Amino acid sequence: MKNIVPKRASKEYEQAFAELKQPLSNAAALADANRCLYCSDAPCIKACPTHIDIPTFIKKIATGNLKGSAKTILQSNWIALTCAKACPVAMLCEGSCVYIARGENPIQIGRLQRYAMDDYFAKGMLPLFTAAEPNGKSIGIIGGGPAGLACADELALLGYDVTIYEAKAKAGGLDTWGIAPYKMKQQDSLLEVALSKSLGVKIRTGECVGETVSIQFLMDQHAAIFIGVGLAAASKLNIPGETLAGVYDALAFIEKVTPRQWRSVDVGKRVAVIGGGNTAIDAATEAKRLGAEEVFMIYRRGKSEMPAYLFEQELAKSDGVQFHFQIMPARIIGKKHVEAVECMRTKPGEPDADGRRHPAPIPGSEFRIPVDMVIKSVGQNVEGTFFSQIPDLMIDDGMVVVNHDTLQTSNPMFFAGGDCINGGKEVVNAAHDGKKAAHGIDQWIRSTRQE
Amino acid sequence: MADLRTDCAGIKSPNPFWLASAPPTNSAYQVCKAFEAGWGGAVWKTIGEPVMNVCNRYGSVDYGGQKIAGLNNIELISDRPIEVNLREMAETKRLWPDRAVVASLMVEPKREAWHDIVKRAIDTGCDGLELNYGCPHGMSERGMGAAIGQVPEYCSMITGWVTEVSTIPVLVKLTPNITDIRYPGRAAKKGGAAGISLINTINTLMGVDLDTLELQPSVAGKGGHGGYAGPAVKPIALNMLSQVAMDPEIGLPISGMGGISTWRDAAEFILLGASSVQVCTAAMHYGFRIINDLTEGLSNWMDEKGFQTLGEVRGKSLHRISDFGNFNLLFKAVARIDESACIRCNLCHVACDDAAHQCIDLQPREVQRNGHAETIGQPVVREEDCVGCRLCYIVCPVENCISMIQLDDGKESVTWNELLKQLPQPVTWEALRAFQKKHGIEIH
Ligand SMILES: Cc1cc2nc3c(=O)[nH]c(=O)nc-3n(C[C@H](O)[C@H](O)[C@H](O)COP(=O)(O)OP(=O)(O)OC[C@H]3O[C@@H](n4cnc5c(N)ncnc54)[C@H](O)[C@@H]3O)c2cc1C
Ligand SMILES: Cc1cc2nc3c(=O)[nH]c(=O)nc-3n(C[C@H](O)[C@H](O)[C@H](O)COP(=O)(O)O)c2cc1C
């Protein structure tokens, strides 16, 4: 890459990536915990995909029963610290708080959950649950992201012998490698990995199923298998110039940022981010905070169609990221290094099968944006080559097909959850899926044993 | 602008707000600062016997994140040298002639001792005396404070020793740590008191620290009962105030206190018969500056209600105090929920279902929440089963969402006392049920 932004002192980076939501002080936590009305049949519980008993955990904070509070939380959601910090709470629990109906600020549920979980981890993860007697059954889990971890934790409590196979050197999935560093630290996710280990879950990192270890091996070793592999690398743009130096895949870029080794991440002075999802926004914001002088978001549809959450868009904007709507990249220009993106203006075309109007380039509208770096974030897919190795596994529209009550796949021995069944949602959905699949597996194993 | 001037048992002040005898009135510095801020009077921190105080004197009940719902103390009377107190009292009175300066006294139960302290106090030029018969700890073990307030005979005897030499009005400050406050009140009257102050602090043990298992507050590992004051004691003080105010045998002006934090509290004390009001804990919590809202709020409220003088307010609600036997059994009120105000916290539902009369149902409703349609349970009162207990009204966090609606026409009234005269004695369940049936009351 050319025109790399000069590196700054680590302290400056830490400031730029400081947590946006700071921890609550004891007094602030108490004040908000006491403000919670303790609704019966509370809407926040319903709004949370994992249905945490929110009023109960909050009232336990108010009485100083922090251990009990963490237990209430973990009972519903094993990925509680990450969720506390990274959940889009305004869309979920906090967005449904009854205080909003009273015209007041909602209870800070996310920050209170963090308060309880910080305490739990700071005190060394004291055991909260009694696991069932070991039942001698072994379960294999492919992928140590939030879905895999949640499934493993729940199964461990149910008495199973659980092994996670994780391709990367550190487990945690996107919680470890993907979530923006100003929301949470990689270390937070690793605490959740440690929690799994403390429950007896075995984690084999550096083990890529289908490559370093075969599907058949897993099928021989385990009574059932959970697939929690998330999504595969970004799709290609399929335009000229994609292989030039300085063109990055968003996730690959973000993965370099999350370990907080700031000075080892190169970022260009002028950066184009292609895409309009939350990942694109994260990449743009992170590039800006790393010191990029100008960051352009290039999105082929209109503003109102941008899939990224509004609050994420606002954050990027306040960081100075520039948004360009209704333009698409036609080619990336440069000799060896990126020098510019050539874009075309678009207009809404014919509606596709979903009724969504595909943006059509306007001929002759080409123009160039000179940049030093291009970050591509145009969606992820499930990994076809991996899934084709699993016998009888049905895939539809890039997602593993499951029974939605049990999360069992078309191959009864395999269950699946998280991004690979929903095409990419939130951590909290993955956490819920993992737990749900654990019960699906348990039910299935117990029913087949009886037969 | 309402006239806030008051005269309590001959002690005059530009407004009814006096600082109670306590730490805020320890010194001339404090009292002058308070007068500067606008306080109408101050009862100096009690002086008398030689004492020494200890460290960690106060304990607090914090409730729901709110500090000092109640304050407890194991403080004794002033431990500053008595000459200093008397000198400063005289200076203060000289500097602030229009304010009420009251000396609070407590000495051993000896006639000469009382005569001596009374004379020395009067020499300061103060406007009145307050006899501290209330301190529930430390002094009572030495035969003073509550030890006197709890024995009506001592109370009248010592009051007599004071009034026989006093040339200024004498208030007797009563302890609430007694079964019936009217007895010491009558005793004070018998001893010649010009007025009554109430209440002093209530016997309490504040609690145990769950880390150290020590009492709170802890004096080097030991603790004990102390005197309780602050917002939590207000209803207790109001009850005692009204009992003394309504007792035909007492009939003395009252300086009311116990839990007064705002002008609203003060207005209630005055409505129930207080001529002046005293404040301690609120000043300890927030400082003297609260006087601004106390006087302004009271004055605005009086203007709004059309009261020109405190005399018009004083005791105005006393006639509403009655015994249970005089309440109208046919008064029928039920709770009603305003669905447009309801935020669906369902607190009314759970309270009614678990702790009242199971008459708030959750009826399915389609609502928009967080951008999508959702079926929720809307709390609705089944009025025919509502006994009108008012619990839902109390737990509801939304203003004007639940109201108690009167259903009877207000014309008919039968009280328990009247009913007793109608029914054969002793009253039987059958007879009572017949009465209820006649009036369409069904209790199931
Ligand atoms: C940049 C970015 C930012 C995000 N920010 C947020 C946010 O702020 N809040 C939020 O709620 N959600 C966020 N998300 C979404 C969230 O991270 C995902 O929904 C969630 O992590 C999905 O969990 P998962 O377990 O299904 O998959 P993943 O987290 O992707 O975990 C899959 C794991 O499986 C492993 N794996 C894959 N294939 C194999 C194999 N063959 N053998 C062994 N291991 C394998 C991977 O290495 C990985 O560890 C973000 C996503 C991205 C991409
Ligand atoms: C720390 C403290 C010390 C007190 N000392 C005295 C005292 O010396 N003499 C006295 O008559 N009352 C004393 N009191 C009682 C107060 O004068 C007053 O009666 C009581 O606090 C109730 O009023 P409040 O609720 O406004 O505090 C004391 C109260 C407190 C809190």
Side-chain angles (χ1 to χ4, degrees), chain A residues 207-262:
Chain A
E207 201 81 273
C208 183
V209 180
E211 286 178 22
T212 62
V213 53
S214 70
I215 296 271
Q216 191 56 51
F217 173 82
L218 263 68
M219 291 172 70
D220 294 341
Q221 291 288 309
H222 304 293
I225 294 164
F226 175 76
I227 309 169
V229 294
L231 299 172
S235 357
K236 288 213 160 28
L237 291 169
N238 293 320
I239 55 172
E242 250 182 289
T243 52
L244 286 173
V247 180
Y248 292 84
D249 171 54
L251 260 185
F253 169 68
I254 288 171
E255 276 182 19
K256 284 202 276 179
V257 185
T258 42
R260 304 182 95 82
Q261 300 300 317
W262 317 112

Side-chain angles (χ1 to χ4, degrees), chain B residues 67-331:
Chain B
K67 301 285 281 186
I68 317 189
L71 178 74
N72 151 294
N73 80 88
I74 50 168
E75 184 172 286
L76 306 177
I77 63 175
S78 177
D79 54 9
R80 303 174 77 215
I82 191 160
E83 305 74 28
V84 175
N85 273 311
L86 290 166
R87 191 181 69 231
E88 291 189 1
M89 225 184 289
E91 276 166 23
T92 306
K93 183 63 216 178
R94 191 169 51 76
L95 287 169
W96 295 93
D98 69 323
R99 310 301 165 93
V101 176
V102 178
S104 169
L105 309 176
M106 181 198 288
V107 287
E108 54 177 337
K110 290 205 183 105
R111 193 173 190 158
E112 309 73 56
W114 278 99
H115 281 180
D116 178 58
I117 190 87
V118 166
K119 286 177 190 151
R120 292 172 77 185
I122 292 173
D123 283 346
T124 65
C126 66
D127 304 289
L129 305 176
E130 189 180 83
L131 311 184
N132 180 349
Y133 293 169
C135 194
H137 50 269
M139 307 310 290
S140 48
E141 291 89 327
R142 289 164 61 178
M144 290 173 266
I148 293 163
Q150 285 165 339
V151 185
E153 293 73 29
Y154 286 169
C155 184
S156 57
M157 178 176 76
I158 292 176
T159 308
W161 294 343
V162 172
T163 53
E164 69 196 16
V165 291
S166 179
T167 54
I168 56 177
V170 175
L171 304 173
V172 167
K173 183 165 176 182
L174 300 182
T175 174
N177 299 310
I178 186 158
T179 316
D180 189 334
I181 192 80
R182 288 171 296 190
Y183 289 89
R186 289 169 194 162
K189 161 104 173 190
K190 208 168 131 201
I196 304 278
S197 298
L198 59 81
I199 59 174
N200 210 310
T201 54
I202 302 175
N203 259 330
T204 40
L205 198 134
M206 290 307 275
V208 183
D209 182 311
L210 295 184
D211 286 327
T212 61
L213 311 192
E214 290 178 358
L215 294 171
Q216 90 116 320
S218 165
V219 182
K222 290 216 166 63
H225 78 103
Y228 198 46
V233 311
K234 186 184 114 186
I236 299 168
L238 285 179
N239 180 47
M240 293 187 165
L241 166 67
S242 69
Q243 282 186 303
V244 171
M246 296 212 306
D247 189 70
E249 291 183 42
I250 302 177
L252 292 177
I254 304 168
S255 182
M257 83 199 88
I260 297 175
S261 310
T262 67
W263 61 267
R264 311 186 78 93
D265 301 327
E268 292 177 62
F269 273 75
I270 298 167
L271 284 166
L272 293 176
S275 294
S276 74
V277 288
Q278 298 187 28
V279 176
C280 165
T281 302
M284 289 178 73
H285 196 169
Y286 300 112
F288 299 137
R289 61 203 162 121
I290 60 171
I291 188 61
N292 182 279
D293 184 52
L294 286 172
T295 49
E296 186 185 81
L298 182 64
S299 166
N300 287 344
W301 171 78
M302 286 171 65
D303 289 347
E304 222 170 85
K305 291 278 169 195
F307 296 120
Q308 268 149 25
T309 66
L310 285 179
E312 294 164 35
V313 183
R314 188 171 312 124
K316 207 165 172 59
S317 293
L318 277 175
H319 72 281
R320 296 188 175 269
I321 296 181
S322 190
D323 292 334
F324 186 90
N326 298 324
F327 295 160
N328 182 5
L329 296 169
L330 301 182
F331 167 60

Side-chain angles (χ1 to χ4, degrees), chain A residues 30-31 34-35 37-43 46-47 89-93 95-96 98-99 101-102, chain B residues 63-66 341-347 349-350 362 369-370 372 374-377 397-399:
Chain A
L30 268 186
N34 279 308
R35 201 169 69 92
L37 294 172
Y38 204 9
C39 297
S40 152
D41 195 18
K46 290 187 212 151
V89 285
M91 313 292 141
L92 301 171
C93 53
S96 70
V98 297
Y99 268 112
R102 222 172 76 164
Chain B
Y63 186 76
Q66 174 68 46
C342 177
I343 58 172
R344 298 175 193 100
C345 65
N346 299 344
L347 286 173
H349 165 74
V350 78
L362 293 179
R369 187 130 69 184
N370 210 6
H372 48 82
E374 207 181 295
T375 306
I376 52 97
V398 182
E399 216 179 346

Side-chain angles (χ1 to χ4, degrees), chain A residues 96-116:
Chain A
S96 70
C97 178
V98 297
Y99 268 112
I100 293 173
R102 222 172 76 164
E104 292 170 48
N105 289 333
I107 300 296
Q108 303 178 72
I109 299 168
R111 290 176 87 190
L112 284 169
Q113 178 166 317
R114 173 193 177 165
Y115 182 78

Side-chain angles (χ1 to χ4, degrees), chain A residues 82-83 85-88 141-149 165-168 170-175 177-180 183 207-211 228-231 250-251 254 278-280 282-283 286 312 380 383 386 417-420 422 424-431:
Chain A
T82 296
C83 283
K85 295 185 171 194
C87 264
I141 301 214
I142 312 177
L149 289 172
Y165 301 84
E166 167 54 53
K168 289 199 156 41
K170 284 179 187 153
L174 289 170
D175 297 358
W177 298 106
I179 293 180
K183 286 189 190 165
E207 201 81 273
C208 183
V209 180
E211 286 178 22
V229 294
L231 299 172
L251 260 185
I254 288 171
N278 287 315
T279 301
D282 279 3
E286 289 170 39
E312 303 277 22
Q380 296 159 265
E383 177 67 80
F386 166 74
D419 278 1
C420 70
N422 62 31
K425 280 190 177 168
E426 313 293 337
V427 175
V428 67
N429 304 98

